[in-house]
């Protein structure tokens, strides 16, 4: 009954969701492209289809090493990558080109999911992290399609929320074939909300298996060489409420390091213009990556392109990981750690608690609470090259020490394809 009520409610909401999509498309026309896919009208797929669903950019990046490994292990499969956002699909296309197929994930109405499954006919559904959509999961299992939650994480707050609607959630959890949890805490929470203990394994986080393609390494090296040994720090995946604090720290840093450059990369492309305006309002000289050209005189370099954050991390000396000075929950610190550069973060990292704890345990990350603390740490790092290198190596060693989850996950998927 609860599943029926949920389905009816989302059916009623669908016209308003589509209207909102159309309205947002006034300023972002790409949102209107292929909108039919969102109600299940996707191109037909053939062969053995592995459907990989990653909601947005972060999950898509996390899925990339797994997808590459799957294609290497079994070149005959067809990988279909879906996302809820245009930025997620753009990221996937940039990474894989024609190697995989792409589509928007269907909204979770019974009809949309049915049309999608009829056209794709997947052999297996791989969901990154914790995208729990009742109709997607239940209809897939009803067709005999195994459903895997990969790199699965579940915060205590989310687990308590699911427990409040356990009558709705438990049947969905029982439909999941395998949960590859990041840590024992995550596994325990999944068991609490209805996943059978035999279906939950602690594989670790696939994000530790950082995969930096050679093309990205070369592009990063070229950019770093063009910076002429300037002190460079990058603030990746920033959110509203953080940019002003980062600029305040940079203003202080310029007094100690007049040649310092801040590369700031907003998480969402709709914020590119507002961040550019904020930089100019604070009287910094600004260059924008999207415009190309010379940026040797810039104090702030705005990363206003999609899919280049990993490359920009590699061109920097120190990395600040955004979403952490505000209560957003943080973003993936292993991307800069994989380059062997010092990692700095705010304290609000509940979305990556296990990863951050391992970095903290081995001195691979420094947590700051505000712009003043950030400035003091940056100043210390840029005045001591030995400590800067040691800090980066500590971060990299945490990545190397925790690798291996990817092989365990890929083995589990291949065994069921």
């Amino acid at each position: 009954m609860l599943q029926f009520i949920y389905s009816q409610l989302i059916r009623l909401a669908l016209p308003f969701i589509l209207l909102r999509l159309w309205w947002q498309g006034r300023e972002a026309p790409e949102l209107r492209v292929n909108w039919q896919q969102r109600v299940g009208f996707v191109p037909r797929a053939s062969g053995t289809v592995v459907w990989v669903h990653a909601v947005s950019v972060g999950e898509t990046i996390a899925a990339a090493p797994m997808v590459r490994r799957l294609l290497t292990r079994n070149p005959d499969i067809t990988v279909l990558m879906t996302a809820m956002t245009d930025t997620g699909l753009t990221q996937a296309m940039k990474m894989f080109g024609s190697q995989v197929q792409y589509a928007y994930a269907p909204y979770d109405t019974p009809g949309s999911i049915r049309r999608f499954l009829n056209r794709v006919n997947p052999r297996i559904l791989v969901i990154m992290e914790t995208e729990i959509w009742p109709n997607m999961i239940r209809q897939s299992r009803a067709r005999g399609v195994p459903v895997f939650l990969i790199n699965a994480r579940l915060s205590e707050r989310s687990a308590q929320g699911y427990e409040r609607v356990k009558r709705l959630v438990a049947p969905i959890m029982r439909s999941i074939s395998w949960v590859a949890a990041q840590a024992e805490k995550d596994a325990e929470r999944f068991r609490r909300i209805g996943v059978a203990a035999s279906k939950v394994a602690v594989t670790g986080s696939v994000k530790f298996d950082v995969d930096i393609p050679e093309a990205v390494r070369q592009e990063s090296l070229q950019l770093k060489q063009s910076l002429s040994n300037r002190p460079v720090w990058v603030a990746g995946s920033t959110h509203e409420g953080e940019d002003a604090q980062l600029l305040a720290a940079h203003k202080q840093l310029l007094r100690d390091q007049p040649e310092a450059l801040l590369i700031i990369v907003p998480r969402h492309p709709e914020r590119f213009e507002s961040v550019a305006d904020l930089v100019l309002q604070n009287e910094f000289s600004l260059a924008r990556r999207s415009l190309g050209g010379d940026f040797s005189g810039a104090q702030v370099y705005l990363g206003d392109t999609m899919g280049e954050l990993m490359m920009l991390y590699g061109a920097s000396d120190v990395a600040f990981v955004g979403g952490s000075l505000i209560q957003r929950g943080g973003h993936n610190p292993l991307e800069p750690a994989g380059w062997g550069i010092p990692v700095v973060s705010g304290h609000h990292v509940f979305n990556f608690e296990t990863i951050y704890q391992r970095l903290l345990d081995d001195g691979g990350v420094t947590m700051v609470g505000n712009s003043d603390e950030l400035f003091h740490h940056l100043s210390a790092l840029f005045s001591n090259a030995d400590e800067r290198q040691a800090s980066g190596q500590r971060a990299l060693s945490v990545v190397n020490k925790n690798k291996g989850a990817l092989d365990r996950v890929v083995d589990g998927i291949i065994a069921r394809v």
Side-chain angles (χ1 to χ4, degrees), residues 148-177:
F148 291 177
L149 283 187
I150 299 301
N151 213 43
R153 58 182 172 87
L154 192 63
S155 68
E156 180 60 30
R157 183 167 62 177
S158 295
Q160 291 175 2
Y162 283 126
E163 284 181 310
R164 285 193 285 270
V165 290
K166 194 167 183 179
R167 288 180 61 194
L168 173 62
V169 171
I172 301 161
M173 294 296 103
R174 287 195 293 270
S175 297
I176 294 174
S177 308

Side-chain angles (χ1 to χ4, degrees), residues 130-391:
T130 317
E131 279 291 290
I132 298 174
W133 293 104
N135 286 313
M136 177 188 289
I137 293 172
R138 295 292 294 276
Q139 285 200 36
S140 294
R141 287 300 296 130
R143 294 177 180 232
V145 177
V147 178
F148 291 177
L149 283 187
I150 299 301
N151 213 43
R153 58 182 172 87
L154 192 63
S155 68
E156 180 60 30
R157 183 167 62 177
S158 295
Q160 291 175 2
Y162 283 126
E163 284 181 310
R164 285 193 285 270
V165 290
K166 194 167 183 179
R167 288 180 61 194
L168 173 62
V169 171
I172 301 161
M173 294 296 103
R174 287 195 293 270
S175 297
I176 294 174
S177 308
W178 187 46
V179 175
Q182 293 188 21
E184 182 55 43
K185 286 183 180 179
D186 300 299
E188 186 274 330
R189 291 164 187 158
F190 277 106
R191 290 190 286 264
R192 271 169 46 195
I193 64 173
V195 182
S198 61
K199 296 181 179 180
V200 181
V202 179
T203 60
S205 174
V206 300
K207 292 185 177 181
F208 282 106
D209 292 86
V210 178
D211 181 21
I212 307 175
E214 185 58 31
V216 173
R217 291 187 181 276
Q218 290 302 316
E219 190 176 3
S220 181
L221 178 62
Q222 291 173 10
L223 178 58
K224 193 172 185 64
Q225 290 172 340
S226 70
L227 294 171
S228 305
N229 296 317
R230 293 178 65 181
V232 179
W233 67 289
V234 59
S237 297
T238 68
H239 289 256
E240 185 175 359
E242 291 184 307
D243 306 291
Q245 298 182 67
L246 298 167
L247 293 173
H250 190 53
K251 185 163 287 188
Q252 294 183 77
L253 182 64
L254 286 170
R255 297 178 192 138
D256 289 350
Q257 302 280 347
E259 295 299 311
L261 175 68
L262 164 61
I263 302 175
I264 190 166
V265 187
R267 179 68 173 181
H268 299 116
E270 59 267 26
R271 296 187 57 248
F272 289 162
E273 294 302 325
S274 63
V275 173
D277 290 343
L278 183 63
V279 171
L280 295 174
Q281 289 166 16
N282 281 271
E283 300 181 339
F284 292 99
S285 55
L286 172 68
R288 300 179 64 153
R289 178 146 183 89
S290 62
L291 299 179
D294 180 35
F295 56 91
S296 58
Q299 296 169 314
V300 177
Y301 189 35
L302 178 62
D304 57 348
T305 55
M306 291 302 300
E308 293 197 309
L309 179 56
M310 179 64 89
M311 184 276 294
L312 294 172
Y313 277 137
S316 305
D317 301 302
V318 180
F320 173 85
V321 181
S324 59
L325 284 175
I326 58 171
Q327 293 189 11
R328 173 61 178 76
H331 291 292
N332 184 9
L334 298 177
E335 293 173 15
W339 285 102
I341 61 175
V343 180
V344 189
S345 171
H347 292 283
H348 302 288
V349 294
F350 52 83
N351 285 335
F352 293 84
E353 58 181 350
T354 301
I355 289 173
Y356 270 98
Q357 190 57 58
R358 292 185 183 176
L359 286 167
L360 283 168
D361 289 344
D362 287 5
V365 65
T366 298
M367 314 291 272
V368 298
N370 53 48
S371 60
D372 286 337
E373 291 181 15
L374 176 57
F375 155 66
H376 287 300
H377 186 59
L378 290 171
S379 181
L381 287 172
F382 282 121
S383 62
N384 188 334
D386 289 340
E387 174 54 28
R388 193 168 65 245
Q389 181 178 12
S391 178

Side-chain angles (χ1 to χ4, degrees), residues 119-138:
R119 286 163 170 75
V120 172
N121 191 26
R123 179 71 61 86
I124 188 172
L125 168 56
V126 178
I127 300 174
M128 295 302 298
E129 302 196 0
T130 317
E131 279 291 290
I132 298 174
W133 293 104
N135 286 313
M136 177 188 289
I137 293 172
R138 295 292 294 276

Side-chain angles (χ1 to χ4, degrees), residues 58-127:
E59 294 81 7
T60 301
I61 292 172
M66 179 190 71
V67 171
R68 291 192 185 98
R69 195 73 59 86
L70 284 171
L71 291 171
T72 299
R73 293 270 298 273
N74 192 339
D76 294 330
I77 64 173
T78 298
V79 174
L80 171 65
M81 296 194 71
T82 63
M84 299 300 294
T85 66
D86 61 299
T87 52
L89 284 189
T90 300
Q91 178 70 50
M93 292 174 186
K94 184 176 180 65
M95 291 188 298
F96 291 106
S98 60
Q99 290 180 284
V100 308
Q101 297 181 15
Y102 312 92
Y104 283 111
Y107 291 132
D108 200 43
T109 65
S112 299
I113 298 296
R114 183 173 59 254
R115 285 187 289 271
F116 182 94
L117 292 172
N118 286 341
R119 286 163 170 75
V120 172
N121 191 26
R123 179 71 61 86
I124 188 172
L125 168 56
V126 178
I127 300 174

